[in-house]
Amino acid sequence: MQGRLALEVADIFRAHGPAWPDAQRGHLSLAQLKVMSAITQCRTAALGGHVLRCDGCGQDEVSYNSCRNRHCPKCQSSAAKRWLDARQADLLPVEYYHVVFTLPAPIADIAYQNKAALYGLLFDIAAETLQRIAADPKHLGAHIGATLVLHTWGSALTHHPHVHGIVPGGGFAPDGKTWVACRPGFFLPVRVLSRLFRRRFLEELQRLHDGGALRFFGEHAALAEPVTFKAWLAPLRQCEWVVYAKRPFAGPQAVLAYLSRYTHRVAISNSRLLAMDERGVTFRWKDYRATGKTRHKAMTLSPQEFMRRFLLHVLPGGFHRIRHYGLLANSNRRDNLALARQLLQVTPSSPQAPATDGLDSPRPTFVCAHCGHAMTVLQVFLRDCSIRAPPAS
């Protein structure tokens, strides 16, 4: 078990959160309030826990339960590991590329008021763009797959929705009988991707508006009128939309290393927090407009502004922030990967599945922080502090 960091997001919510919802009445959703409560209670006696005994040195320890909320900075490392273990068998021996699709600031503003609709549209249009350009014989001429991950934040916790795409460098030929590989070091032309992404997103955005599927509040309320909305869209048809492509990853293991940092990331990690004092909350951030060492800076916000920015990134209930498309779509991924390995003439690895309790996640294990031996669960205590026997091994 790891030691506790000096400052955590939970500390900020515990110190300044109780009085804040009253001041923000009408501005915080039930989902945001639930996230505040979960993070505040995470790994405290409020959620119960276990009494553990080390099999080596005999020392007893108390381990409190985690909240398992997907927005909690402390609960994502184990979730990421479980997800990565499941995805490791999906890797193919080809180059992998990293692409990023970003919404312009004006659309990001209305996306906050229409999260489920516009975040979902961002996913679908990014995936459609990749697949359509890749299928074009002028570019690749292949049916490809992609894993897309939604991030809604910038380094300063501002609202900045974008999707990261992890894409194998090739795909099936139209007849499905050969593997078509990308040129070494090059996936698809960024400018072509950007143009199609812009056109298709604006077309679908207009369709949503025509169908009455969008809501507008505050300074954007006038956009509910069709004429006003059409005029508002016009400049967005001319400006550049950011689609970014990085160099290919250095092998499949580099893909896993990247995914472990990005798939289950939340708006800010506890490790970026520097101080909470009379000046406010200070944290590290990266200014991408600067270069060199000047990129890395410290920012201080009032506790209320820090909490507001953090809660900007609470997702709608049931919204999936990791999605698979094309060859990697959940419905036919196994068959497609088997065919891809056959066409690439490789044998799939067979990693041993972790032990489970009949659930989707592996059975948790505990290791003594003093001697490194395994720890045995002696007692399980619930939220009301009652005691019951440990689970059967």
Side-chain angles (χ1 to χ4, degrees):
M1 293 180 290
Q2 296 178 343
R4 188 181 185 280
L5 294 173
L7 179 62
E8 298 179 348
V9 171
D11 297 322
I12 300 168
F13 280 124
R14 290 189 191 107
H16 300 280
W20 192 56
D22 290 336
Q24 295 293 310
R25 191 176 300 277
H27 298 284
L28 292 177
S29 67
L30 178 60
Q32 290 172 321
L33 292 172
K34 286 183 175 179
V35 169
M36 289 181 65
S37 176
I39 292 176
T40 301
Q41 297 182 45
C42 186
R43 301 188 191 181
T44 69
L47 298 183
H50 309 78
V51 179
L52 308 169
R53 175 164 295 167
C54 176
D55 298 338
C57 63
Q59 181 163 325
D60 290 351
E61 291 185 11
V62 174
S63 175
Y64 295 119
N65 294 333
S66 60
C67 67
R68 289 192 158 190
N69 190 288
R70 61 175 169 171
H71 302 93
C72 176
K74 288 191 291 189
C75 288
Q76 294 309 299
S77 59
S78 58
K81 186 179 185 308
R82 291 195 300 270
W83 189 85
L84 286 172
D85 288 343
R87 295 282 78 79
Q88 187 165 8
D90 294 348
L91 290 174
L92 297 171
V94 299
E95 287 187 327
Y96 276 78
Y97 292 83
H98 175 199
V99 294
V100 183
F101 292 82
T102 302
L103 292 181
I107 293 183
D109 290 341
I110 66 168
Y112 181 73
Q113 299 178 354
N114 300 272
K115 287 184 175 181
L118 293 199
Y119 291 170
L121 189 60
L122 172 59
F123 267 117
D124 292 342
I125 299 302
E128 177 192 323
T129 299
L130 288 169
Q131 292 180 91
R132 283 182 60 175
I133 300 302
D136 189 334
K138 293 187 298 184
H139 299 293
L140 183 61
H143 177 42
I144 65 167
T147 293
L148 301 183
V149 182
L150 173 69
H151 284 184
T152 63
W153 53 85
S155 186
L157 297 182
T158 51
H159 188 237
H160 179 63
H162 56 285
V163 291
H164 294 262
I166 309 299
V167 190
F172 296 154
D175 61 5
K177 296 180 179 179
T178 57
W179 178 266
V180 180
C182 297
R183 300 203 313 265
F186 180 81
F187 179 47
L188 295 171
V190 171
R191 181 173 293 273
V192 176
L193 292 171
S194 176
R195 294 292 189 271
L196 180 59
F197 176 60
R198 178 180 65 185
R199 177 173 66 81
R200 288 291 298 123
F201 193 97
L202 293 177
E203 287 175 352
E204 292 303 308
L205 186 62
Q206 181 68 65
R207 186 183 61 80
L208 288 175
H209 189 278
D210 293 343
L214 300 179
R215 301 183 303 165
F216 303 97
F217 304 98
E219 64 184 58
H220 300 295
L223 294 178
E225 295 296 327
V227 174
T228 304
F229 186 75
K230 186 175 181 180
W232 178 81
L233 281 184
L236 294 170
R237 302 183 190 280
Q238 306 301 322
C239 68
E240 292 293 331
W241 286 41
V242 178
V243 175
Y244 178 65
K246 291 186 176 181
R247 293 190 301 271
F249 291 99
Q253 293 308 314
V255 179
L256 287 178
Y258 171 84
L259 287 175
S260 68
R261 297 194 302 271
Y262 276 79
T263 52
H264 292 72
R265 179 177 287 185
V266 297
I268 188 170
S269 63
N270 288 326
S271 61
R272 285 175 56 198
L273 300 177
L274 299 176
M276 178 175 61
D277 51 31
E278 65 280 357
R279 297 184 302 125
V281 177
T282 303
F283 61 94
R284 290 192 298 270
W285 71 291
K286 185 183 292 185
D287 184 354
Y288 289 95
R289 294 169 297 182
T291 58
K293 294 182 178 180
T294 59
R295 269 192 167 193
H296 300 275
K297 302 177 180 180
M299 177 179 293
T300 300
L301 301 174
S302 70
Q304 293 74 25
E305 176 62 11
F306 178 89
M307 291 187 291
R308 186 193 73 83
R309 291 195 188 187
F310 184 91
L311 293 173
L312 288 176
H313 310 292
V314 172
L315 296 175
F319 188 90
H320 294 280
R321 61 183 299 266
I322 305 173
R323 303 187 184 186
H324 310 278
Y325 294 87
L327 303 184
L328 302 179
N330 290 329
S331 58
N332 54 5
R333 178 170 58 228
R334 181 176 299 178
D335 292 341
N336 285 334
L337 289 173
L339 176 58
R341 291 190 177 95
Q342 178 183 337
L343 297 177
L344 291 165
Q345 298 181 348
V346 296
T347 303
S349 59
S350 301
Q352 185 176 357
T356 68
D357 294 314
L359 305 174
D360 291 335
S361 58
R363 182 186 298 123
T365 57
F366 303 94
V367 178
C368 179
H370 300 280
C371 67
H373 282 80
M375 303 191 77
T376 301
V377 178
L378 296 182
Q379 294 175 324
V380 176
F381 57 92
L382 308 179
R383 295 187 186 195
D384 60 2
C385 296
S386 60
I387 303 295
R388 66 179 175 88
S393 59

